Amino acid sequence: MEYNFQEIEKKWQAAWDKDGVYKVSNKSDKKPYYVLDMFPYPSGAGLHVGHPLGYIASDIYSRYKRLQGFNVLHPMGFDSYGLPAEQYAIQTGQHPEVTTNKNIARYIDQLKKIGFCYDWDRQVKTCDPSYYKWTQWAFLKMFNSYYDTTLQKAQPIAKLVAEWEANDPTWKTLSEKEQQQRLMNYRIAYLSDTKVNWCPELGTVLANDEVSEGLSVRGGYPVEQRVMRQWSLRVSAYAERLLNGLDKLDWTESLKETQRNWIGRSEGAEMVFKVQRDKVPSTKENDELSMTIFTTRADTVFGVTFMVLAPESEYVSRVVTDEHRAEVEAYLDRCKNRTERERIADRRVTGVFTGAYAINPLTQGEIPIYISDYVLAGYGTGAIMAVPAHDSRDYAFAKHFNLPIIPLIEGADVSEESFDAKEGKMMNSGFLNGLEVKDAIRTMKEHITNTGIGHVTVNYRLRDAIFSRQRYWGEPFPIYYKDDMPYALPEEALPLELPEIKEFKGVNGQPPLANAKDWTYNGYPLELCTMPGFAGSSAYYLRYMDNHNDEALVSKEANEYWRQVNLYIGGTEHATGHLIYSRFWNKFLYDLGYVCEDEPFKKLINQGMIQGRSNFVYRYIGEGAKGNLYISYNLIDNPEYKDKVQPIHVDVNIVKNDILDIKAFRNWMPEYKNAEFVYSDGTTDEDNPYLGTPAEKQYICGWAIEKMSKSMFNVVNPDDVVAQYGADTLRLYEMFLGPLEMSKPWDTNGIDGVHRFLKRLWNLYENITDDEPTRDELKTLHTLIKKITWDIENFSFNTSIPAYMIAVNELTAAKCSKRAVLEVISVLLAPFAPHIAEETWHRCGHDTTVCDAEWPKCDESLLVESTVNYPVQFNGKVKFTLSLDKSLSKEDVEKAVLADEQTQKQLAGNAPKRVIVVPGKIVNIVI
RNA sequence: GCCGCGAUGGUGGAAUCGGUAGACACGAAGGACUUAAAAUCCUUUGGCCAGUGAUGGCUGUGUGGGUUCAAGUCCCACUCGCGGUACCA
């Protein structure tokens, strides 16, 4: 019988579906294990071959855990709100929900063909009202909570109000609006005028992690800074906990490090500098004016030669002198109009003098105050003390404006550049002189605290997450406005469903929801913005635990059973977005007692990206070129073609092993219909006028590794691979490609090898017998058990495939088709290639599913060799191999080796200086 | 600039605790079967050298040093590539 993978895979996928083999219950005596994939955004292009990489890995692990006797939760869903569907709606008028559902159906179809063991009953969709009800619910909880800095956790805002009612006499005197305004400073979800990343092209604001190098991550459009009234989440309140929580997690060091950098904790000091107006006789008012700065280098106060304010700093208007006002305003104007991208691209030093001076609290010297956009308003206090000798940015500024540079560290040469390193002995620094930098920092901090000119503090880079998007296709805020202040909808009003609209583009600078009819609550206008993409993905892992629950996001019982995600697999691109927001969201729910674990994802593995491998043909553009002559890749460096060819992307689906399918190429696009070739042997079509293209003529294509994208014609669709080779081959091959965490190009060149392996495995069953397996066969089997178990535990899936191949090759060579051996192999293979494993399991005579089998245990005694082959080295070089009894002790091995004839020959009568015996491994003799 | 990761045959990669580098697969070359092709199977395959031959010798994991009886693996310095991040004081 042939290995008919199409029939087998279809049959089992239908059977699994029908019997509900992968349905998971929340009630079980088995131990729970939760394996999660980062759910995809269902794009219109469908899955390409790179997407399933992580899903295959998680599927292998899920199936393995199940075979080990765990109750495994392994769900899949869709992050279905997002920009592309909305952009498409704006262009075509097609409702985003229609395209989204179509794409989801396609995704499910593609995923099912690969044979994943998802429990589809637990599917979630972020755009489904029954789901986003809980996104809105969580938002309301955040709106109605504040972060208690003493308890270090979120608390109901009612507690704060009660406290003010009792202890703050001014509270009762405030108007309702004033009370709301005051509360807004505490809410975890709050509305404020903030400087935001505004993307004019997309017509919306973006979070910091959605912007890269001044361009939007989605679409790559320019982003500018703008002050707008926006919702934010007080993520920064959780900075310390987000940082400390990392220590308990089983994530890669590099990912934790990325998050640590993003959170950006820095210890330093805030210091107060008094301001003195330029030569103007000081008034009482001016004497009291002071500025607070933040620095991590308190030790360098003696070298401060000027100060710099961020253009947006509130100090600016207060210190600027009349004389310099016009100049300053011109500069502020210029800064305001620059986009983020321009600011990043143009690193030239700019700035302006305010006319004001500050007093150095230690030297009492006068120092000028400048304004420059290299100081950021959002970090620290938006004001710095500049120490040009020991900070490269201050140095550049000082050089540009000809300000003094005072070196503070012995031996530091600051004639060409600043000395930024935190090492060396202090000088020019009063009482710090002679101290090492680290000690000087500590001493100065003590001094600052003791003299009251400042205090020690910690700053974080992590900002609050901007939570408003001026878009249609997202969760509506459960918020209405009264007297221009936001109020929460009652919980009973949830879900607040997204209204139908006809025009998806915002009008007159208003978000699209302004186009909705009757977008009001009890006559009050509802919020027009919607929530960002990360809203729906921040707690989806909780919803999977109990996705049909109408009463709660997740019931207490379900949550306490599954607790947290044991294994999470996804890409690194979410390191500073989703993986921060989810942790924040989870900690918030934890504070309020809705979930029982304060971290959502215990172990996390990042699968690498699968890049595209593009193919090229080379069009001749030299003399007499007709535009349709193509030169084989191996010839393009020949003198007659060198620099006279132009590489053109060619569809990788009509290239096999870098050999172009000539016929398919001519049919590919009209312009290639009459293509002519110079083949790899240098002959052309004209040399073979009557033969068309002879089979032995080959046109070799060049190749390059690029991103997988339509425009490069290097997209490979998993459906095509499944149709041609089967899902099991695809699964094995994706794992075989290389280590899971590594990025690697998709290259179909090796897939035949994996497919051949499955065929050989299949053929083993053709001569199946019930004879007792031999010891050799059992040894092969148990070696495999040991290896596969180790590999799966350690996510080293790529090394498992060779192990399977070796085992099958050995059994084939031994003509072994013992039922007892083969049925165990089908269990071992079930995580990787479930369809062929299931079929084989049944062919061996079982009528239960292989998923309910038990993972085999390795019988170590079968692996034990009675003898060991010791390579005998002399001075590290192997001279010969000696077969010795395994049970020999280290000393006996040494004796046996020394007594050996060959050893004596090598020693030639000399006594060895040293003999090193590594039991079971090697013997080295030093002579 | 800073942080992280990586570099092994023609190619993807293996070597899991410092112990015979190149497993397994692709590709290539040769062969068997076949009218032929496909499919399948067998042999060879890091480089150099010697030998009719089995085989033997040398060399070899980005570069240069070091530790060690022994280094792809550990240490120091560097080169290149990839990813993240950035006027974060």
Side-chain angles (χ1 to χ4, degrees):
Chain A
M1 205 160 71
E2 280 255 312
Y3 170 42
N4 188 340
F5 54 85
Q6 280 169 337
E7 194 181 296
I8 293 166
E9 291 178 359
K10 216 168 119 189
K11 177 171 108 190
W12 289 115
Q13 283 169 16
W16 294 335
D17 220 13
K18 185 169 148 278
D19 300 343
V21 168
Y22 301 127
K23 284 230 164 70
V24 189
S25 165
N26 285 356
K27 289 198 176 68
S28 169
D29 300 334
K30 294 177 181 172
K31 277 198 234 155
Y33 200 91
Y34 187 177
V35 181
L36 184 64
D37 293 301
M38 287 186 186
F39 65 168
Y41 172 79
S43 87
L47 288 173
H48 67 61
V49 111
H51 295 114
L53 183 72
Y55 306 156
I56 294 170
S58 66
D59 201 61
I60 290 170
Y61 202 76
S62 303
R63 288 172 180 275
Y64 166 74
K65 273 289 172 186
R66 179 173 169 149
L67 289 164
Q68 291 239 309
F70 287 84
N71 186 30
V72 179
L73 177 56
H74 186 219
M76 179 48 86
F78 298 94
D79 185 14
S80 49
Y81 274 133
L83 278 174
E86 183 165 350
Q87 296 290 75
Y88 188 73
I90 291 170
Q91 286 159 24
T92 63
Q94 175 97 276
H95 196 285
E97 189 170 9
V98 175
T99 34
T100 301
N101 284 337
K102 207 171 86 193
N103 293 344
I104 288 177
R106 168 109 194 269
Y107 266 59
I108 292 178
D109 184 54
Q110 286 185 297
L111 290 169
K112 282 193 171 170
K113 278 188 188 150
I114 304 173
F116 293 123
C117 62
Y118 296 124
D119 177 355
W120 285 106
D121 269 5
R122 291 188 184 249
Q123 188 197 155
V124 301
K125 272 195 317 192
T126 55
C127 68
D128 193 304
S130 71
Y131 178 87
Y132 68 68
K133 173 180 177 180
W134 300 106
T135 311
Q136 293 174 334
W137 170 83
F139 176 83
L140 283 186
K141 292 288 167 200
M142 290 182 197
F143 180 76
N144 287 322
S145 301
Y146 75 104
Y147 197 80
D148 187 318
T149 47
T150 332
L151 296 174
Q152 277 296 311
K153 64 191 273 196
Q155 295 285 300
I157 201 128
K159 204 179 135 191
L160 196 59
V161 174
E163 212 177 288
W164 287 339
E165 295 267 358
N167 303 322
D168 187 344
T170 55
W171 172 252
K172 282 183 191 141
T173 66
L174 298 176
S175 70
E176 189 190 338
K177 185 166 180 176
E178 284 165 338
Q179 288 185 340
Q180 287 301 319
Q181 276 165 341
R182 183 159 164 194
L183 284 171
M184 202 49 92
N185 298 326
Y186 293 86
R187 297 183 190 277
I188 286 184
Y190 65 95
L191 197 57
S192 68
D193 287 317
T194 17
K195 199 174 164 191
V196 296
N197 306 301
W198 172 256
C199 179
E201 195 68 31
L202 294 170
T204 188
V205 302
L206 297 168
N208 285 341
D209 72 285
E210 293 170 318
V211 181
S212 176
E213 306 201 339
L215 297 175
S216 66
V217 171
R218 276 207 186 266
Y221 304 114
V223 169
E224 58 191 51
Q225 303 294 301
R226 214 191 241 199
V227 174
M228 287 176 77
R229 199 173 181 219
Q230 299 288 301
W231 286 100
S232 295
L233 302 185
R234 214 174 288 278
V235 179
S236 62
Y238 282 82
E240 186 74 28
R241 282 169 64 191
L242 288 169
L243 185 68
N244 294 338
L246 289 171
D247 296 337
K248 292 181 293 187
L249 298 177
D250 189 4
W251 295 11
T252 59
E253 253 337 287
S254 81
L255 186 67
K256 287 195 212 177
E257 208 44 42
T258 305
Q259 288 214 342
R260 286 189 191 112
N261 290 341
W262 187 261
I263 296 167
R265 183 181 200 274
S266 54
E267 285 183 17
E270 282 188 359
M271 235 186 284
V272 179
F273 281 65
K274 285 201 173 114
V275 177
Q276 184 184 47
R277 294 264 177 160
D278 175 33
K279 308 307 169 200
V280 178
S282 67
T283 64
K284 192 165 183 287
E285 196 188 27
N286 281 342
D287 280 347
E288 278 170 5
L289 181 56
S290 63
M291 301 188 321
T292 307
I293 59 94
F294 174 75
T295 180
T296 54
R297 291 294 301 271
D299 59 312
T300 59
V301 184
F302 289 95
V304 176
T305 53
F306 57 101
M307 300 188 74
V308 188
L309 304 177
E312 300 84 2
S313 168
E314 53 184 41
Y315 292 131
V316 169
S317 58
R318 285 157 61 189
V319 301
V320 65
T321 59
D322 295 338
E323 200 180 332
H324 289 83
R325 193 170 304 268
E327 210 182 321
V328 165
E329 270 164 15
Y331 180 73
L332 297 185
D333 238 36
R334 215 186 108 196
C335 290
K336 215 186 281 175
N337 292 329
R338 284 222 295 186
T339 67
E340 185 70 0
R341 189 165 169 72
E342 281 166 350
R343 202 175 64 83
I344 290 167
D346 181 12
R347 285 286 180 95
R348 276 177 302 179
V349 176
T350 64
V352 63
F353 180 45
T354 59
Y357 289 84
I359 309 280
N360 185 320
L362 275 131
T363 64
Q364 306 303 326
E366 266 184 5
I367 43 182
I369 304 172
Y370 282 79
I371 299 170
S372 175
D373 65 358
Y374 85 83
V375 175
L376 305 177
Y379 186 78
T381 60
I384 62 155
M385 62 177 211
V387 187
H390 302 291
D391 182 289
S392 51
R393 296 151 303 177
D394 297 345
Y395 187 88
F397 195 86
K399 281 276 170 186
H400 188 262
F401 286 95
N402 238 331
L403 294 158
I405 298 168
I406 308 171
L408 302 171
I409 294 172
E410 286 177 22
D413 175 13
V414 295
S415 56
E416 291 298 323
E417 56 180 4
S418 62
F419 180 86
D420 291 13
K422 289 188 191 179
E423 56 192 36
K425 274 203 169 69
M426 303 300 296
M427 62 178 196
N428 296 335
S429 299
F431 62 90
L432 298 175
N433 282 344
L435 289 175
E436 279 294 320
V437 168
K438 282 197 180 86
D439 300 324
I441 294 177
R442 211 184 46 236
T443 310
M444 183 55 95
K445 277 181 179 171
E446 283 164 15
H447 180 81
I448 291 168
T449 314
N450 294 339
T451 55
I453 50 177
H455 61 277
V456 172
T457 184
V458 174
N459 241 302
Y460 297 92
R461 208 189 76 116
L462 185 72
R463 312 283 168 79
D464 287 347
I466 293 170
F467 204 62
S468 302
R469 296 292 180 275
Q470 289 68 25
R471 309 296 308 200
Y472 171 71
W473 193 230
E475 299 88 348
F477 282 82
I479 290 289
Y480 65 92
Y481 287 87
K482 193 169 92 183
D483 195 16
D484 206 31
M485 288 308 290
Y487 288 84
L489 258 58
E491 265 182 45
E492 306 83 72
L494 300 185
L496 173 64
E497 294 204 26
L498 192 62
E500 286 298 319
I501 58 171
K502 295 219 171 63
E503 174 58 51
F504 297 102
K505 209 177 161 80
V507 183
N508 300 333
Q510 291 267 65
L513 280 183
N515 300 339
K517 260 193 213 161
D518 295 328
W519 187 233
T520 56
Y521 175 76
N522 285 347
Y524 294 110
L526 284 160
E527 168 70 50
L528 295 179
C529 286
T530 56
M531 298 187 196
F534 66 81
S537 59
S538 287
Y540 75 113
Y541 55 92
L542 292 169
R543 190 61 182 162
Y544 281 133
M545 295 176 180
D546 197 11
N547 66 322
H548 296 297
N549 192 335
D550 292 334
E551 306 295 313
L553 166 65
V554 52
S555 72
K556 215 171 179 59
E557 303 78 65
N559 182 246
E560 277 172 1
Y561 178 66
W562 296 110
R563 303 198 72 85
Q564 69 184 147
V565 176
N566 297 89
L567 172 67
Y568 197 24
I569 297 188
T572 13
E573 66 272 22
H574 298 109
T576 53
H578 164 62
L579 287 174
I580 293 266
Y581 299 129
S582 280
R583 293 182 61 221
F584 154 76
W585 203 284
N586 189 85
K587 281 179 190 299
F588 169 75
L589 293 177
Y590 173 79
D591 286 352
L592 297 192
Y594 293 109
V595 299
C596 60
E597 292 280 350
D598 76 335
E599 285 288 344
F601 315 119
K602 180 69 184 155
K603 183 178 175 68
L604 186 136
I605 291 190
N606 289 122
Q607 90 274 17
M609 292 249 279
I610 290 200
Q611 299 135 305
R613 187 179 187 276
S614 311
N615 276 115
F616 298 93
V617 292
Y618 298 87
R619 177 163 37 200
Y620 184 63
I621 50 168
E623 251 165 80
K626 289 176 287 176
N628 60 354
L629 181 67
Y630 298 86
I631 316 299
S632 183
Y633 174 65
N634 58 317
L635 302 174
I636 59 169
D637 281 336
N638 286 5
E640 54 176 319
Y641 303 125
K642 201 170 163 88
D643 301 326
K644 292 175 190 161
V645 292
Q646 168 196 19
I648 296 173
H649 278 98
V650 58
D651 188 350
V652 292
N653 295 298
I654 58 169
V655 177
K656 198 177 175 197
N657 292 341
D658 294 333
I659 309 293
L660 182 68
D661 182 335
I662 300 287
K663 218 173 140 187
F665 181 70
R666 287 185 172 132
N667 288 332
W668 183 39
M669 282 186 191
E671 66 251 50
Y672 303 126
K673 201 175 155 202
N674 298 314
E676 288 176 32
F677 301 91
V678 177
Y679 298 101
S680 58
D681 59 358
T683 60
T684 65
D685 289 299
E686 282 173 23
D687 297 331
N688 310 283
Y690 307 112
L691 296 169
T693 304
E696 69 271 15
K697 296 290 170 202
Q698 292 186 333
Y699 181 92
I700 302 174
C701 297
W703 57 272
I705 306 303
E706 296 174 304
K707 201 179 158 223
M708 203 175 268
S709 92
K710 260 185 183 170
S711 61
M712 316 263 194
F713 299 109
N714 59 7
V715 176
V716 181
N717 186 319
D719 301 2
D720 295 342
V721 180
V722 168
Q724 200 181 346
Y725 294 98
D728 287 338
T729 301
L730 173 73
R731 294 169 60 110
L732 283 171
Y733 186 59
E734 291 223 3
M735 292 300 105
F736 183 59
L737 223 41
L740 183 59
E741 308 84 351
M742 244 171 60
S743 281
K744 57 235 158 195
W746 176 261
D747 179 355
T748 322
N749 287 351
I751 198 165
D752 289 311
V754 172
H755 190 64
R756 275 198 277 267
F757 152 69
L758 286 179
K759 277 196 215 167
R760 276 198 292 270
L761 173 82
W762 181 260
N763 289 334
L764 271 180
Y765 288 80
E766 298 298 318
N767 310 308
I768 196 160
T769 72
D770 284 322
D771 299 348
E772 279 297 305
T774 64
R775 194 186 155 88
D776 274 351
E777 289 158 2
L778 287 175
K779 194 179 144 194
T780 298
L781 178 65
H782 284 263
T783 308
L784 184 66
I785 294 172
K786 190 176 177 183
K787 170 76 178 150
I788 301 298
T789 308
W790 192 94
D791 279 349
I792 298 181
E793 297 278 5
N794 293 281
F795 300 91
S796 178
F797 303 129
N798 56 319
T799 56
S800 291
I801 287 85
Y804 288 122
M805 289 178 178
I806 291 166
V808 168
N809 285 349
E810 279 176 11
L811 296 176
T812 308
K815 298 218 165 29
C816 163
S817 295
K818 309 287 166 60
R819 189 180 306 272
V821 173
L822 300 177
E823 65 180 10
V824 177
I825 288 186
S826 67
V827 177
L828 284 177
L829 193 62
F832 286 83
H835 310 88
I836 193 172
E838 185 80 270
E839 178 72 13
T840 308
W841 179 249
H842 280 78
R843 284 173 101 194
C844 281
H846 296 270
D847 47 16
T848 54
T849 166
V850 71
C851 299
D852 291 334
E854 210 172 295
W855 189 257
K857 286 211 169 57
C858 172
D859 181 351
E860 297 270 353
S861 68
L862 287 164
L863 308 185
V864 173
E865 301 274 355
S866 56
T867 59
V868 177
N869 291 326
Y870 282 93
V872 181
Q873 300 179 339
F874 288 84
N875 286 344
K877 296 210 171 175
V878 182
K879 290 293 178 183
F880 55 87
T881 305
L882 218 52
S883 187
L884 296 173
D885 197 297
K886 165 113 190 179
S887 60
L888 287 181
S889 70
K890 204 168 154 178
E891 287 73 25
D892 291 339
V893 171
E894 188 177 330
K895 259 183 229 159
V897 170
L898 288 177
D900 184 74
E901 204 179 303
Q902 296 173 85
T903 310
Q904 292 304 326
K905 221 167 101 189
Q906 287 290 336
L907 289 172
N910 301 316
K913 274 190 204 149
R914 218 176 129 190
V915 181
I916 299 133
V917 177
V918 183
K921 294 224 165 149
I922 205 158
V923 177
N924 190 39
I925 299 171
V926 187
I927 48 177

